[in-house]
């Protein structure tokens, strides 16, 4: 699997969630079986949707790079975001009984993309050089 497929897949998922969060955030909440949002919750969901669309555009644009080393920092940013999101969703899923079982989908999405972005980051020549250096004791 090459970087183009991973970045475009991430862009498609972010676009779908971003559009839903901007246009109909409560439809997404209902799909997850969660309580509906009001006032500032709707506003925050719409802003989050806008950020997801920006992330999608960044990933789609980065997917056109001919060499993976050219997008090293995009991969690093994606790895950081998906890994932190994985920790947050997993913590939320395991800590709060009121979290619906359907939210395990979020854990799965972030787990898959964390693994894929980690693999791309480590397979990037720039990532390999960064981690292959010897460090003084």
């Amino acid at each position: 699997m090459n970087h183009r497929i991973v970045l475009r897949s991430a862009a498609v998922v972010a676009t779908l969630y971003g559009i839903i969060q901007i246009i109909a955030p409560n439809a997404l909440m209902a799909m997850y079986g969660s309580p509906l949002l009001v006032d500032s919750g709707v506003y925050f969901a719409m802003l989050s949707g806008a950020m997801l669309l920006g992330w999608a555009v960044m990933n789609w644009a980065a997917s056109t790079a001919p060499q993976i080393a050219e997008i090293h920092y995009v991969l690093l940013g994606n790895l950081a975001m998906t890994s932190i999101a994985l920790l947050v969703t997993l913590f939320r899923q395991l800590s709060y009984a009121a979290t619906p079982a359907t939210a395990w989908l979020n854990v799965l999405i972030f787990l898959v993309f964390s693994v894929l972005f980690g693999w791309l980051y480590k397979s990037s020549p720039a990532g390999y050089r960064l981690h292959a250096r010897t460090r003084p004791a």
Side-chain angles (χ1 to χ4, degrees):
M1 180 178 300
N2 66 28
H3 68 281
R4 288 176 188 85
I5 294 169
V6 175
L7 288 164
R8 288 181 181 172
S9 298
V12 168
V13 170
T15 298
L16 292 174
Y17 274 83
I19 289 172
I20 292 170
Q21 281 187 302
I22 289 172
I23 295 173
N26 277 322
L28 184 64
M29 298 304 287
M31 185 174 76
Y32 277 105
S34 295
L36 298 182
L37 301 171
V38 294
D39 302 329
S40 60
V42 171
Y43 176 64
F44 184 75
M46 293 172 78
L47 287 176
S48 297
M51 286 186 274
L52 281 172
L53 288 177
W55 184 60
V57 169
M58 177 194 67
N59 280 335
W60 194 271
S63 75
T64 63
Q67 299 296 322
I68 193 171
E70 296 174 21
I71 56 167
H72 177 70
Y73 293 111
V74 171
L75 296 176
L76 181 60
N78 275 295
L79 177 58
M81 189 284 295
T82 55
S83 298
I84 293 167
L86 172 62
L87 293 174
V88 169
T89 56
L90 188 59
F91 174 78
R92 179 78 181 185
Q93 199 66 31
L94 297 174
S95 299
Y96 295 95
T99 305
T102 52
W104 279 106
L105 176 62
N106 293 341
V107 175
L108 179 64
I109 289 170
F110 290 121
L111 174 63
V112 168
F113 282 114
S114 292
V115 169
L116 290 172
F117 283 119
W119 173 72
L120 284 175
Y121 179 77
K122 290 293 282 182
S123 65
S124 165
Y128 177 77
R129 281 193 307 273
L130 179 67
H131 297 288
R133 280 188 268 185
T134 58
R135 295 188 175 105

